[in-house]
PDB file of all heavy atoms in Angstrom:
ATOM      1  N   GLY A 830     106.821  60.772  89.245  1.00 98.00           N
ATOM      2  CA  GLY A 830     107.622  60.953  90.436  1.00 98.00           C
ATOM      3  C   GLY A 830     106.821  60.801  91.713  1.00 98.00           C
ATOM      4  O   GLY A 830     105.633  60.476  91.696  1.00 98.00           O
ATOM      5  N   SER A 831     107.495  61.078  92.828  1.00 98.00           N
ATOM      6  CA  SER A 831     106.901  60.880  94.145  1.00 98.00           C
ATOM      7  C   SER A 831     107.156  62.078  95.046  1.00 98.00           C
ATOM      8  O   SER A 831     108.161  62.785  94.908  1.00 98.00           O
ATOM      9  CB  SER A 831     107.477  59.627  94.821  1.00 98.00           C
ATOM     10  OG  SER A 831     107.198  58.457  94.081  1.00 98.00           O
ATOM     11  N   LEU A 832     106.241  62.293  95.973  1.00 98.00           N
ATOM     12  CA  LEU A 832     106.383  63.265  97.042  1.00 98.00           C
ATOM     13  C   LEU A 832     105.759  62.681  98.299  1.00 98.00           C
ATOM     14  O   LEU A 832     104.847  61.857  98.224  1.00 98.00           O
ATOM     15  CB  LEU A 832     105.683  64.583  96.714  1.00 98.00           C
ATOM     16  CG  LEU A 832     106.313  65.522  95.691  1.00 98.00           C
ATOM     17  CD1 LEU A 832     105.358  66.680  95.401  1.00 98.00           C
ATOM     18  CD2 LEU A 832     107.645  66.050  96.184  1.00 98.00           C
ATOM     19  N   ARG A 833     106.242  63.149  99.449  1.00 98.00           N
ATOM     20  CA  ARG A 833     105.610  62.815 100.714  1.00 98.00           C
ATOM     21  C   ARG A 833     105.233  64.085 101.444  1.00 98.00           C
ATOM     22  O   ARG A 833     106.089  64.920 101.749  1.00 98.00           O
ATOM     23  CB  ARG A 833     106.515  61.962 101.602  1.00 98.00           C
ATOM     24  CG  ARG A 833     105.773  61.427 102.839  1.00 98.00           C
ATOM     25  CD  ARG A 833     106.630  60.578 103.746  1.00 98.00           C
ATOM     26  NE  ARG A 833     107.573  61.370 104.516  1.00 98.00           N
ATOM     27  CZ  ARG A 833     108.185  60.949 105.622  1.00 98.00           C
ATOM     28  NH1 ARG A 833     107.948  59.722 106.077  1.00 98.00           N
ATOM     29  NH2 ARG A 833     109.046  61.732 106.250  1.00 98.00           N
ATOM     30  N   LEU A 834     103.948  64.241 101.710  1.00 98.00           N
ATOM     31  CA  LEU A 834     103.449  65.363 102.472  1.00 98.00           C
ATOM     32  C   LEU A 834     103.361  64.999 103.947  1.00 98.00           C
ATOM     33  O   LEU A 834     103.054  63.862 104.295  1.00 98.00           O
ATOM     34  CB  LEU A 834     102.067  65.786 101.980  1.00 98.00           C
ATOM     35  CG  LEU A 834     101.927  66.078 100.486  1.00 98.00           C
ATOM     36  CD1 LEU A 834     100.513  66.567 100.189  1.00 98.00           C
ATOM     37  CD2 LEU A 834     102.960  67.085 100.027  1.00 98.00           C
ATOM     38  N   SER A 835     103.614  65.986 104.800  1.00 98.00           N
ATOM     39  CA  SER A 835     103.528  65.801 106.237  1.00 98.00           C
ATOM     40  C   SER A 835     102.556  66.807 106.828  1.00 98.00           C
ATOM     41  O   SER A 835     102.450  67.934 106.351  1.00 98.00           O
ATOM     42  CB  SER A 835     104.900  65.975 106.903  1.00 98.00           C
ATOM     43  OG  SER A 835     105.828  65.032 106.425  1.00 98.00           O
ATOM     44  N   CYS A 836     101.866  66.402 107.866  1.00 96.00           N
ATOM     45  CA  CYS A 836     100.947  67.263 108.591  1.00 96.00           C
ATOM     46  C   CYS A 836     101.227  67.115 110.073  1.00 96.00           C
ATOM     47  O   CYS A 836     100.915  66.071 110.662  1.00 96.00           O
ATOM     48  CB  CYS A 836      99.498  66.906 108.270  1.00 96.00           C
ATOM     49  SG  CYS A 836      98.276  67.837 109.217  1.00 96.00           S
ATOM     50  N   ALA A 837     101.812  68.149 110.663  1.00 93.00           N
ATOM     51  CA  ALA A 837     102.141  68.140 112.081  1.00 93.00           C
ATOM     52  C   ALA A 837     101.027  68.816 112.867  1.00 93.00           C
ATOM     53  O   ALA A 837     100.522  69.871 112.472  1.00 93.00           O
ATOM     54  CB  ALA A 837     103.461  68.856 112.327  1.00 93.00           C
ATOM     55  N   THR A 838     100.673  68.223 114.007  1.00 88.00           N
ATOM     56  CA  THR A 838      99.579  68.758 114.799  1.00 88.00           C
ATOM     57  C   THR A 838      99.792  68.450 116.266  1.00 88.00           C
ATOM     58  O   THR A 838     100.805  67.870 116.665  1.00 88.00           O
ATOM     59  CB  THR A 838      98.237  68.192 114.303  1.00 88.00           C
ATOM     60  OG1 THR A 838      97.156  68.837 114.973  1.00 88.00           O
ATOM     61  CG2 THR A 838      98.167  66.691 114.558  1.00 88.00           C
ATOM     62  N   SER A 839      98.845  68.854 117.093  1.00 82.00           N
ATOM     63  CA  SER A 839      98.890  68.579 118.518  1.00 82.00           C
ATOM     64  C   SER A 839      98.343  67.188 118.805  1.00 82.00           C
ATOM     65  O   SER A 839      97.668  66.583 117.971  1.00 82.00           O
ATOM     66  CB  SER A 839      98.082  69.614 119.292  1.00 82.00           C
ATOM     67  OG  SER A 839      96.704  69.485 119.015  1.00 82.00           O
ATOM     68  N   GLY A 840      98.618  66.707 119.998  1.00 78.00           N
ATOM     69  CA  GLY A 840      98.126  65.392 120.368  1.00 78.00           C
ATOM     70  C   GLY A 840      96.611  65.312 120.421  1.00 78.00           C
ATOM     71  O   GLY A 840      96.028  64.300 120.035  1.00 78.00           O
ATOM     72  N   SER A 841      95.963  66.371 120.886  1.00 79.00           N
ATOM     73  CA  SER A 841      94.506  66.360 120.974  1.00 79.00           C
ATOM     74  C   SER A 841      93.876  66.283 119.598  1.00 79.00           C
ATOM     75  O   SER A 841      92.884  65.576 119.400  1.00 79.00           O
ATOM     76  CB  SER A 841      94.008  67.585 121.735  1.00 79.00           C
ATOM     77  OG  SER A 841      94.397  68.784 121.089  1.00 79.00           O
ATOM     78  N   ILE A 842      94.419  67.009 118.634  1.00 78.00           N
ATOM     79  CA  ILE A 842      93.920  66.943 117.265  1.00 78.00           C
ATOM     80  C   ILE A 842      94.251  65.595 116.647  1.00 78.00           C
ATOM     81  O   ILE A 842      93.433  65.010 115.931  1.00 78.00           O
ATOM     82  CB  ILE A 842      94.490  68.085 116.415  1.00 78.00           C
ATOM     83  CG1 ILE A 842      94.044  69.441 116.973  1.00 78.00           C
ATOM     84  CG2 ILE A 842      94.074  67.936 114.959  1.00 78.00           C
ATOM     85  CD1 ILE A 842      92.552  69.668 116.910  1.00 78.00           C
ATOM     86  N   PHE A 843      95.427  65.095 116.929  1.00 73.00           N
ATOM     87  CA  PHE A 843      95.847  63.814 116.385  1.00 73.00           C
ATOM     88  C   PHE A 843      94.934  62.688 116.828  1.00 73.00           C
ATOM     89  O   PHE A 843      94.763  61.708 116.099  1.00 73.00           O
ATOM     90  CB  PHE A 843      97.291  63.528 116.789  1.00 73.00           C
ATOM     91  CG  PHE A 843      97.906  62.364 116.086  1.00 73.00           C
ATOM     92  CD1 PHE A 843      98.312  62.470 114.769  1.00 73.00           C
ATOM     93  CD2 PHE A 843      98.092  61.162 116.746  1.00 73.00           C
ATOM     94  CE1 PHE A 843      98.895  61.398 114.112  1.00 73.00           C
ATOM     95  CE2 PHE A 843      98.671  60.083 116.108  1.00 73.00           C
ATOM     96  CZ  PHE A 843      99.074  60.199 114.784  1.00 73.00           C
ATOM     97  N   ARG A 844      94.345  62.818 117.995  1.00 75.00           N
ATOM     98  CA  ARG A 844      93.429  61.797 118.516  1.00 75.00           C
ATOM     99  C   ARG A 844      92.000  62.015 118.048  1.00 75.00           C
ATOM    100  O   ARG A 844      91.086  61.396 118.591  1.00 75.00           O
ATOM    101  CB  ARG A 844      93.488  61.776 120.041  1.00 75.00           C
ATOM    102  CG  ARG A 844      94.825  61.260 120.590  1.00 75.00           C
ATOM    103  CD  ARG A 844      94.782  61.084 122.093  1.00 75.00           C
ATOM    104  NE  ARG A 844      94.657  62.350 122.789  1.00 75.00           N
ATOM    105  CZ  ARG A 844      95.687  63.098 123.162  1.00 75.00           C
ATOM    106  NH1 ARG A 844      96.921  62.709 122.899  1.00 75.00           N
ATOM    107  NH2 ARG A 844      95.477  64.240 123.797  1.00 75.00           N
TER     108      ARG A 844
END
Side-chain angles (χ1 to χ4, degrees):
S831 298
L832 286 173
R833 189 180 74 161
L834 307 184
S835 299
C836 176
T838 187
S839 68
S841 60
I842 298 296
F843 190 75
R844 292 187 293 272

